[in-house]
Amino acid sequence: MRPFLLLVLLALASAPAVRAADEPVYRTPPSVVADLLTAPRVPRGAPNASPDGAWLAVPDLRSLIPIATLAEPVQRLAGLEVLPGLWANRAALKNAAAGLTFYRVADGSQVRAQLPSDVRMGPVRWSSRGDRVAVVAYAEGGGELWIVTAATGEARRLEGVRLHTVSGVLEWSNDDSALLVSLVVDRPAPAAASRVPKGPEVRRSAGRPTPQRVARDVLRTPDDQAAFEHVVTAQLAWVPAAGGAPRPWGEPVALAGATLSPDERVLLVRRFARPAPIGFPVSLFPRRVELWSAEGGPAIVVGDVPLNDRSAIASVAPLGPREFAFAPDGRSLWYMSWRDTPGAKPQAAVRDTALPPPGTDVLLRLDAPFTGAPVEVTTAEFPVEGLMFTGDGRKLLVEEGYEPRRIERQSWLDPRDPAKRHTLVYR
């Protein structure tokens, strides 16, 4: 036996056995350090005030993310990080609050919400009257829905409700008798993908130059497409605030988002097109925009949003309907649709800021019963990034932005006379 090998064996034989007590574990630092690291975070952003301005709902923000949260299994699909056991986004769970306190604006008095001590709290929505809130609590099998009274802090969980919060919807009805939510759909998950490929991996081009930014966790196989459709499919439903069985609205859908009209007669639904595209992040996925009537019947198609491969690398306005706003009476839907200038090259206008924008943004109005053709109201020089009505419906606030020139403009127009436009901010 070689001398060097003999020395190694003797060293190993004489080494002390590793004991369980010697294994690395998490340790708590001295209290002077721990208290500093775990001090509650100061709430940021606009205060969550009740509609009547009488109360503020202030969440307890955690200073540190629990290790158990970071250890949750994650399904990464086209930029989404989904926790399949909780039907929630990982980012939302990392920012979950540890509790809730109500502050009375008149005298500063506090009321503590009587939620479970281990709650992982998500969105908080005030009722129309401003006397209570709906709270999402992330949990296994789907989010829980709690109703909390501001004056007393009394909290009540609605039984039999499992919230789907990946593309979640949570809105009170006008009379506070029910909440519009997105629910988990009970159906089996797709079979696990086989590690043995069925054939060679083939990627087809678009047939034209299509520059893209590198995106993380894009869909690559039909198994990825099936998994994506499974995690975004939800059932829209009304849940009685007093408790009881949910009332489904329509069939389960690959939900990208939904907005209820002010009069609650129609629901604007944005659904992902099938199949989901391979090689793109979810923000660029094609969608179909529909209106669902509260009275039932077939959906009204507002329009289709194509795969937004033109915006993958630069500030080029996407095609299709977008930036929706219901008039306060709910009898008309206003939205934008970009129109390319014939012969213009969007990418060239991005590279050369001396060129004019390569098209025009068109403001359209679709009137109830929403079955006719939309009316062209006016146009905007730059891509519109937001529409919002004032409460009385007499003004429509329009926000434009054009990144190649670093331009932002906010203005309002009179819906009855769109030619009247007043610029508020231009920079």
Side-chain angles (χ1 to χ4, degrees), residues 236 253-259 267-271 288-292:
L236 294 164
V253 61
L255 185 64
T259 305
L267 183 66
L268 179 73
V269 178
R270 299 176 294 282
R271 59 191 302 173
R288 168 160 285 192
V289 182
E290 300 175 341
L291 287 171
W292 294 5

Side-chain angles (χ1 to χ4, degrees), residues 104-418:
R104 192 188 300 272
V105 175
D107 57 12
S109 59
Q110 304 177 23
V111 178
R112 185 69 179 170
Q114 299 168 18
L115 293 166
S117 59
D118 60 348
V119 68
R120 294 183 288 182
M121 196 182 74
V124 176
R125 298 284 185 270
W126 281 102
S127 64
S128 302
R129 289 193 297 270
D131 60 337
R132 50 188 170 161
V133 296
V135 174
V136 175
Y138 301 114
E140 287 293 329
E144 299 174 348
L145 182 58
W146 291 74
I147 306 297
V148 187
T149 303
T152 63
E154 179 186 359
R156 174 174 50 89
R157 182 168 67 91
L158 298 185
E159 300 292 340
V161 176
R162 294 188 300 145
L163 298 178
H164 184 291
T165 60
V166 176
S167 300
V169 176
L170 180 62
E171 293 189 40
W172 285 88
S173 63
N174 293 334
D175 61 2
D176 290 342
S177 64
L179 294 109
L180 181 67
V181 301
S182 49
L183 300 175
V184 173
V185 178
D186 286 319
R187 62 175 187 171
S194 173
R195 292 180 296 175
V196 180
K198 298 178 181 179
E201 182 177 334
V202 178
R203 297 186 184 182
R204 295 178 174 84
S205 70
R208 65 183 190 281
T210 309
Q212 298 182 49
R213 290 191 178 98
V214 176
R216 297 176 54 189
D217 308 316
V218 296
L219 308 183
R220 299 186 183 278
T221 67
D223 292 318
D224 291 344
Q225 293 173 307
F228 175 83
E229 183 176 348
H230 177 73
V231 300
V232 299
T233 298
Q235 172 67 65
L236 294 164
W238 284 108
V239 174
R247 303 190 302 271
W249 192 340
E251 298 296 323
V253 61
L255 185 64
T259 305
L260 186 64
S261 66
D263 60 3
E264 300 179 359
R265 295 184 178 182
V266 294
L267 183 66
L268 179 73
V269 178
R270 299 176 294 282
R271 59 191 302 173
F272 291 109
R274 300 175 59 189
I278 288 176
F280 291 88
V282 67
S283 59
L284 305 180
F285 277 14
R287 296 168 171 81
R288 168 160 285 192
V289 182
E290 300 175 341
L291 287 171
W292 294 5
S293 172
E295 300 174 356
I300 300 171
V301 178
V302 177
D304 289 312
V305 179
L307 174 66
N308 189 15
D309 54 6
R310 58 194 266 134
S311 298
I313 195 170
S315 176
V316 179
L319 300 176
R322 68 183 209 289
E323 305 301 339
F324 301 93
F326 280 105
D329 61 3
R331 305 306 295 164
S332 61
L333 175 67
W334 301 61
Y335 61 95
M336 305 303 302
S337 182
W338 181 263
R339 179 189 299 158
D340 281 335
T341 301
K345 298 180 179 180
Q347 297 292 343
V350 171
R351 291 190 296 267
D352 184 358
T353 58
L355 296 174
T360 303
D361 224 356
V362 182
L363 177 61
L364 301 172
R365 187 189 74 239
L366 183 62
D367 296 322
F370 308 107
T371 54
V375 176
E376 183 174 324
V377 178
T378 187
T379 59
E381 180 182 3
F382 304 113
V384 171
E385 299 176 341
L387 294 175
M388 184 175 64
F389 275 95
T390 55
D392 57 9
R394 300 179 62 181
K395 293 182 176 65
L396 178 62
L397 302 178
V398 181
E399 183 174 351
E400 302 169 70
Y402 191 52
E403 288 188 15
R405 297 186 189 173
R406 303 294 190 267
I407 289 176
E408 294 182 4
R409 178 163 62 191
Q410 297 173 348
S411 57
W412 62 259
L413 57 82
D414 185 347
R416 296 163 298 184
D417 187 3

